[in-house]
Amino acid sequence: MRIGVMVGPERGRYRTKIERMVADAQWAEGAGLASIWIPQIPDDFDALTAAALIGARTTRIEIGTAVVPVQPRHPIALAHQALSTQAACDGRLTLGLGVSHHWVIDEMLGLPYERPAATLRAYLDVLDPALAGPGMVEVDNDRFRIHNPIDITDLAPTPVMVAALGPVMLRLAGERTDGTILWLADERAIGSHIAPAINAAAEAAGRRPPRIVAGVPVCLCADDEVDVAVQRANRVLSESEVSPNYQKLLDRGDARTVGDLLAAGSGTSIERRLRSFADAGATDVSLRVVPIGDTREEKLASSRRTRDYIAALAGDL
Protein backbone atom coordinates (compact mmCIF):
# COMPACT_ATOMS: atom_id res chain seq x y z
CA MET A 1 0.00 0.00 0.00
CA ARG A 2 1.40 3.37 -1.08
CA ILE A 3 1.54 6.20 1.45
CA GLY A 4 0.56 9.74 0.47
CA VAL A 5 -0.46 12.88 2.31
CA MET A 6 -3.04 15.62 1.88
CA VAL A 7 -1.61 19.04 1.07
CA GLY A 8 -3.42 22.36 1.30
CA PRO A 9 -6.66 21.83 3.24
CA GLU A 10 -5.69 24.17 6.09
CA ARG A 11 -7.58 27.45 6.06
CA GLY A 12 -6.24 30.90 6.87
CA ARG A 13 -2.86 32.66 6.55
CA TYR A 14 -3.54 33.17 2.83
CA ARG A 15 -0.55 35.43 2.17
CA THR A 16 1.73 32.47 2.79
CA LYS A 17 -0.54 29.64 1.64
CA ILE A 18 1.20 28.97 -1.68
CA GLU A 19 4.63 28.75 -0.10
CA ARG A 20 3.30 26.50 2.65
CA MET A 21 1.65 24.16 0.16
CA VAL A 22 4.83 23.96 -1.91
CA ALA A 23 6.93 23.43 1.22
CA ASP A 24 4.63 20.62 2.39
CA ALA A 25 4.88 18.96 -1.02
CA GLN A 26 8.66 19.29 -1.05
CA TRP A 27 8.78 17.77 2.43
CA ALA A 28 6.66 14.82 1.26
CA GLU A 29 8.88 14.28 -1.75
CA GLY A 30 12.04 14.51 0.34
CA ALA A 31 10.56 12.06 2.85
CA GLY A 32 10.13 9.48 0.11
CA LEU A 33 6.33 9.47 0.16
CA ALA A 34 4.54 8.18 -2.90
CA SER A 35 1.98 10.91 -3.49
CA ILE A 36 0.32 14.10 -2.40
CA TRP A 37 -3.42 14.76 -2.72
CA ILE A 38 -4.87 18.26 -2.97
CA PRO A 39 -8.52 18.66 -1.92
CA GLN A 40 -10.87 21.03 -3.73
CA ILE A 41 -12.65 22.85 -0.92
CA PRO A 42 -15.60 25.05 -2.04
CA ASP A 43 -14.26 28.25 -0.46
CA ASP A 44 -10.52 27.72 -0.85
CA PHE A 45 -7.58 27.50 -3.26
CA ASP A 46 -8.06 25.92 -6.69
CA ALA A 47 -6.65 22.38 -6.60
CA LEU A 48 -5.36 22.25 -10.18
CA THR A 49 -3.63 25.62 -9.79
CA ALA A 50 -1.99 24.29 -6.64
CA ALA A 51 -0.96 21.13 -8.49
CA ALA A 52 0.69 23.19 -11.25
CA LEU A 53 2.62 25.29 -8.74
CA ILE A 54 3.72 22.21 -6.82
CA GLY A 55 4.60 20.33 -9.99
CA ALA A 56 6.96 23.07 -11.08
CA ARG A 57 8.86 22.83 -7.79
CA THR A 58 9.05 19.05 -7.28
CA THR A 59 10.60 16.34 -9.41
CA ARG A 60 9.37 12.86 -8.46
CA ILE A 61 6.21 12.66 -6.37
CA GLU A 62 2.77 11.93 -7.80
CA ILE A 63 0.43 14.93 -7.54
CA GLY A 64 -3.31 14.22 -7.37
CA THR A 65 -6.45 16.31 -7.02
CA ALA A 66 -8.97 14.98 -4.53
CA VAL A 67 -11.26 15.93 -6.10
CA VAL A 68 -12.24 18.51 -8.75
CA PRO A 69 -16.05 18.78 -9.24
CA VAL A 70 -16.97 18.47 -12.90
CA GLN A 71 -20.27 20.38 -13.03
CA PRO A 72 -18.85 23.95 -12.76
CA ARG A 73 -16.43 23.37 -15.67
CA HIS A 74 -17.07 22.58 -19.33
CA PRO A 75 -15.16 19.36 -20.06
CA ILE A 76 -12.99 21.02 -22.71
CA ALA A 77 -12.10 23.82 -20.27
CA LEU A 78 -11.32 21.18 -17.65
CA ALA A 79 -9.17 19.28 -20.16
CA HIS A 80 -7.26 22.46 -21.04
CA GLN A 81 -6.55 23.14 -17.37
CA ALA A 82 -5.66 19.53 -16.55
CA LEU A 83 -3.33 19.13 -19.53
CA SER A 84 -1.63 22.44 -18.82
CA THR A 85 -1.16 21.29 -15.24
CA GLN A 86 0.16 17.96 -16.47
CA ALA A 87 2.81 19.82 -18.47
CA ALA A 88 3.84 21.72 -15.33
CA CYS A 89 3.97 18.42 -13.42
CA ASP A 90 6.07 16.74 -16.11
CA GLY A 91 3.63 13.84 -16.37
CA ARG A 92 3.06 13.29 -12.63
CA LEU A 93 -0.54 14.57 -12.36
CA THR A 94 -3.40 12.25 -11.49
CA LEU A 95 -6.71 13.99 -12.14
CA GLY A 96 -9.16 13.20 -9.37
CA LEU A 97 -12.74 14.08 -10.31
CA GLY A 98 -16.11 13.99 -8.62
CA VAL A 99 -19.69 15.14 -8.79
CA SER A 100 -19.48 16.82 -5.36
CA HIS A 101 -22.67 17.15 -3.29
CA HIS A 102 -26.11 18.65 -3.60
CA TRP A 103 -25.32 21.36 -1.08
CA VAL A 104 -22.32 22.51 -3.15
CA ILE A 105 -23.60 22.16 -6.72
CA ASP A 106 -27.23 23.11 -6.21
CA GLU A 107 -27.36 25.27 -3.09
CA MET A 108 -24.03 27.09 -3.48
CA LEU A 109 -23.63 27.24 -7.28
CA GLY A 110 -27.23 27.05 -8.48
CA LEU A 111 -26.48 24.23 -10.92
CA PRO A 112 -28.57 21.08 -11.44
CA TYR A 113 -27.66 18.00 -9.42
CA GLU A 114 -29.78 15.37 -11.12
CA ARG A 115 -28.34 12.02 -12.25
CA PRO A 116 -24.77 12.73 -11.13
CA ALA A 117 -23.40 9.42 -12.45
CA ALA A 118 -24.83 10.15 -15.91
CA THR A 119 -23.27 13.61 -15.69
CA LEU A 120 -19.84 12.14 -14.94
CA ARG A 121 -20.20 9.54 -17.68
CA ALA A 122 -20.90 12.30 -20.22
CA TYR A 123 -17.85 14.23 -19.01
CA LEU A 124 -15.65 11.15 -19.33
CA ASP A 125 -16.80 10.74 -22.94
CA VAL A 126 -15.07 14.08 -23.58
CA LEU A 127 -12.12 13.75 -21.21
CA ASP A 128 -11.06 10.28 -22.37
CA PRO A 129 -9.97 11.44 -25.86
CA ALA A 130 -8.89 14.88 -24.64
CA LEU A 131 -6.48 13.46 -22.05
CA ALA A 132 -5.19 10.68 -24.31
CA GLY A 133 -2.89 13.00 -26.25
CA PRO A 134 -2.94 15.65 -28.99
CA GLY A 135 -5.75 15.33 -31.50
CA MET A 136 -9.37 16.09 -32.31
CA VAL A 137 -12.05 15.57 -29.66
CA GLU A 138 -15.25 14.46 -31.39
CA VAL A 139 -18.13 13.78 -29.00
CA ASP A 140 -21.89 13.89 -29.48
CA ASN A 141 -23.75 12.56 -26.46
CA ASP A 142 -26.87 13.62 -24.59
CA ARG A 143 -25.04 16.52 -22.90
CA PHE A 144 -22.23 17.66 -25.17
CA ARG A 145 -21.70 18.26 -28.89
CA ILE A 146 -17.99 18.85 -29.29
CA HIS A 147 -15.63 19.11 -32.27
CA ASN A 148 -12.51 20.57 -30.76
CA PRO A 149 -8.78 20.03 -31.40
CA ILE A 150 -6.47 19.89 -28.40
CA ASP A 151 -2.68 20.09 -28.64
CA ILE A 152 -1.32 21.12 -25.22
CA THR A 153 1.08 18.36 -24.24
CA ASP A 154 2.15 14.93 -25.39
CA LEU A 155 2.70 13.87 -21.77
CA ALA A 156 -0.17 11.41 -21.97
CA PRO A 157 -2.35 9.79 -21.03
CA THR A 158 -3.37 11.61 -17.82
CA PRO A 159 -4.66 9.11 -15.23
CA VAL A 160 -8.19 9.82 -14.03
CA MET A 161 -9.71 8.72 -10.73
CA VAL A 162 -13.13 9.53 -9.32
CA ALA A 163 -14.73 9.90 -5.93
CA ALA A 164 -17.01 6.87 -6.15
CA LEU A 165 -19.12 6.00 -3.12
CA GLY A 166 -22.29 4.25 -4.33
CA PRO A 167 -22.79 1.19 -6.54
CA VAL A 168 -23.46 3.08 -9.79
CA MET A 169 -20.45 5.37 -9.40
CA LEU A 170 -18.21 2.46 -8.39
CA ARG A 171 -19.24 0.56 -11.51
CA LEU A 172 -18.49 3.61 -13.64
CA ALA A 173 -15.13 4.10 -11.91
CA GLY A 174 -14.13 0.50 -12.52
CA GLU A 175 -15.26 0.50 -16.14
CA ARG A 176 -13.85 3.85 -17.20
CA THR A 177 -11.15 5.16 -14.83
CA ASP A 178 -7.99 4.25 -12.94
CA GLY A 179 -9.69 3.99 -9.55
CA THR A 180 -11.42 5.82 -6.73
CA ILE A 181 -10.46 8.41 -4.11
CA LEU A 182 -12.34 8.04 -0.82
CA TRP A 183 -13.20 9.94 2.31
CA LEU A 184 -15.15 8.58 5.30
CA ALA A 185 -14.74 5.00 4.09
CA ASP A 186 -13.57 2.71 6.88
CA GLU A 187 -12.16 -0.78 6.52
CA ARG A 188 -15.52 -2.57 6.46
CA ALA A 189 -16.93 -0.17 3.88
CA ILE A 190 -13.87 -0.72 1.68
CA GLY A 191 -13.68 -4.48 2.15
CA SER A 192 -17.36 -5.33 1.76
CA HIS A 193 -18.56 -2.58 -0.59
CA ILE A 194 -15.92 -0.44 -2.34
CA ALA A 195 -13.29 -3.00 -3.34
CA PRO A 196 -15.60 -5.79 -4.53
CA ALA A 197 -17.71 -3.46 -6.66
CA ILE A 198 -14.94 -1.49 -8.35
CA ASN A 199 -12.70 -4.52 -8.87
CA ALA A 200 -15.51 -6.54 -10.44
CA ALA A 201 -16.39 -3.67 -12.78
CA ALA A 202 -12.78 -3.25 -13.87
CA GLU A 203 -12.33 -6.97 -14.47
CA ALA A 204 -15.55 -7.17 -16.51
CA ALA A 205 -14.35 -4.23 -18.62
CA GLY A 206 -10.96 -5.84 -19.21
CA ARG A 207 -9.13 -3.11 -17.29
CA ARG A 208 -6.25 -3.56 -14.89
CA PRO A 209 -7.06 -3.61 -11.14
CA PRO A 210 -8.06 -0.08 -10.05
CA ARG A 211 -6.45 1.96 -7.33
CA ILE A 212 -8.41 2.55 -4.13
CA VAL A 213 -7.14 5.61 -2.24
CA ALA A 214 -8.45 5.76 1.33
CA GLY A 215 -8.43 9.11 3.10
CA VAL A 216 -7.26 8.54 6.67
CA PRO A 217 -6.70 11.17 9.39
CA VAL A 218 -3.65 10.43 11.54
CA CYS A 219 -2.13 11.66 14.81
CA LEU A 220 0.96 10.34 16.58
CA CYS A 221 0.33 10.79 20.29
CA ALA A 222 0.40 9.11 23.66
CA ASP A 223 -2.22 6.46 24.30
CA ASP A 224 -3.93 8.68 26.87
CA GLU A 225 -4.23 11.44 24.23
CA VAL A 226 -6.12 9.36 21.66
CA ASP A 227 -9.51 10.58 22.85
CA VAL A 228 -8.28 14.17 22.56
CA ALA A 229 -7.16 13.48 19.00
CA VAL A 230 -10.51 11.90 18.13
CA GLN A 231 -12.35 14.91 19.51
CA ARG A 232 -10.18 17.28 17.50
CA ALA A 233 -10.67 15.26 14.31
CA ASN A 234 -14.42 15.42 14.84
CA ARG A 235 -14.22 19.15 15.48
CA VAL A 236 -12.14 20.16 12.44
CA LEU A 237 -13.09 17.52 9.85
CA SER A 238 -16.76 16.77 10.46
CA GLU A 239 -18.46 19.17 8.02
CA SER A 240 -18.66 16.58 5.24
CA GLU A 241 -20.49 14.06 7.44
CA VAL A 242 -23.82 15.84 6.85
CA SER A 243 -23.78 15.02 3.14
CA PRO A 244 -26.30 12.31 2.20
CA ASN A 245 -23.63 10.72 -0.02
CA TYR A 246 -21.28 10.33 2.94
CA GLN A 247 -24.09 9.25 5.27
CA LYS A 248 -24.86 6.36 2.92
CA LEU A 249 -21.18 5.43 2.87
CA LEU A 250 -20.94 5.53 6.66
CA ASP A 251 -23.89 3.14 6.77
CA ARG A 252 -21.75 0.66 4.82
CA GLY A 253 -19.10 0.55 7.55
CA ASP A 254 -18.60 0.66 11.29
CA ALA A 255 -17.51 4.31 11.57
CA ARG A 256 -20.11 6.88 12.52
CA THR A 257 -17.88 9.96 12.61
CA VAL A 258 -14.62 11.02 11.00
CA GLY A 259 -12.95 10.48 14.36
CA ASP A 260 -13.74 6.79 14.08
CA LEU A 261 -11.40 6.62 11.07
CA LEU A 262 -8.54 8.33 12.88
CA ALA A 263 -5.30 6.35 13.08
CA ALA A 264 -3.97 7.59 16.43
CA GLY A 265 -1.69 6.65 19.28
CA SER A 266 1.76 5.12 19.10
CA GLY A 267 3.54 4.32 15.88
CA THR A 268 2.67 0.67 16.37
CA SER A 269 -1.01 1.51 16.78
CA ILE A 270 -1.03 3.71 13.68
CA GLU A 271 0.75 1.12 11.55
CA ARG A 272 -1.70 -1.54 12.70
CA ARG A 273 -4.62 0.67 11.66
CA LEU A 274 -3.08 1.52 8.30
CA ARG A 275 -2.40 -2.16 7.60
CA SER A 276 -6.07 -2.86 8.26
CA PHE A 277 -6.92 -0.52 5.37
CA ALA A 278 -4.50 -2.42 3.16
CA ASP A 279 -6.05 -5.73 4.24
CA ALA A 280 -9.48 -4.34 3.31
CA GLY A 281 -8.34 -3.60 -0.24
CA ALA A 282 -6.93 -0.08 -0.20
CA THR A 283 -3.99 0.30 -2.58
CA ASP A 284 -3.08 3.77 -1.26
CA VAL A 285 -3.77 5.99 1.72
CA SER A 286 -3.95 9.76 1.71
CA LEU A 287 -3.05 10.79 5.26
CA ARG A 288 -4.49 13.94 6.82
CA VAL A 289 -2.36 15.06 9.77
CA VAL A 290 -4.49 16.04 12.79
CA PRO A 291 -2.36 17.95 15.31
CA ILE A 292 -3.37 18.31 18.94
CA GLY A 293 -2.48 20.83 21.64
CA ASP A 294 -3.80 23.85 23.45
CA THR A 295 -1.50 26.39 21.82
CA ARG A 296 -0.26 27.00 18.29
CA GLU A 297 3.22 25.92 19.34
CA GLU A 298 1.89 22.65 20.78
CA LYS A 299 -0.08 21.96 17.59
CA LEU A 300 2.98 22.64 15.44
CA ALA A 301 5.05 20.28 17.57
CA SER A 302 2.34 17.62 17.31
CA SER A 303 2.25 18.05 13.53
CA ARG A 304 6.03 17.66 13.30
CA ARG A 305 5.96 14.46 15.36
CA THR A 306 3.26 12.95 13.16
CA ARG A 307 5.03 14.00 9.97
CA ASP A 308 8.30 12.48 11.21
CA TYR A 309 6.46 9.23 11.78
CA ILE A 310 4.89 9.33 8.31
CA ALA A 311 8.33 9.98 6.80
CA ALA A 312 9.63 6.87 8.57
CA LEU A 313 7.12 4.80 6.58
CA ALA A 314 9.13 5.74 3.46
CA GLY A 315 6.21 5.80 1.07
CA ASP A 316 4.63 2.37 1.47
CA LEU A 317 3.62 -0.45 3.75
Side-chain angles (χ1 to χ4, degrees), residues 261-316:
L261 280 89
L262 179 71
S266 66
T268 300
S269 297
I270 293 173
E271 183 172 340
R272 185 185 307 117
R273 185 73 193 269
L274 295 182
R275 287 189 183 279
S276 70
F277 279 92
D279 293 341
T283 63
D284 303 67
V285 287
S286 172
L287 301 180
R288 169 67 155 90
V289 174
V290 178
I292 59 173
D294 296 326
T295 66
R296 182 171 181 271
E297 290 71 23
E298 289 175 348
K299 291 185 180 72
L300 288 172
S302 173
S303 179
R304 285 192 293 269
R305 286 193 299 271
T306 301
R307 282 167 45 131
D308 287 346
Y309 168 76
I310 294 171
L313 296 175
D316 60 25

Side-chain angles (χ1 to χ4, degrees), residues 164-207:
L165 308 181
V168 176
M169 289 290 288
L170 285 165
R171 185 166 61 251
L172 177 59
E175 292 172 347
R176 298 283 300 272
T177 78
D178 296 284
T180 185
I181 304 169
L182 305 170
W183 184 244
L184 289 182
D186 70 3
E187 297 93 325
R188 186 162 75 88
I190 292 171
S192 65
H193 169 57
I194 301 288
I198 194 171
N199 286 328
E203 183 177 4
R207 297 179 64 91

Side-chain angles (χ1 to χ4, degrees), residues 46-58:
D46 178 71
L48 277 168
T49 302
L53 293 167
I54 289 169
R57 294 173 64 179
T58 54

Side-chain angles (χ1 to χ4, degrees), residues 10-18 20 296 300:
E10 296 80 8
R11 288 180 167 86
R13 299 171 60 210
Y14 294 107
R15 289 182 182 274
T16 62
K17 186 170 181 86
I18 292 174
R20 287 185 289 115
R296 182 171 181 271
L300 288 172

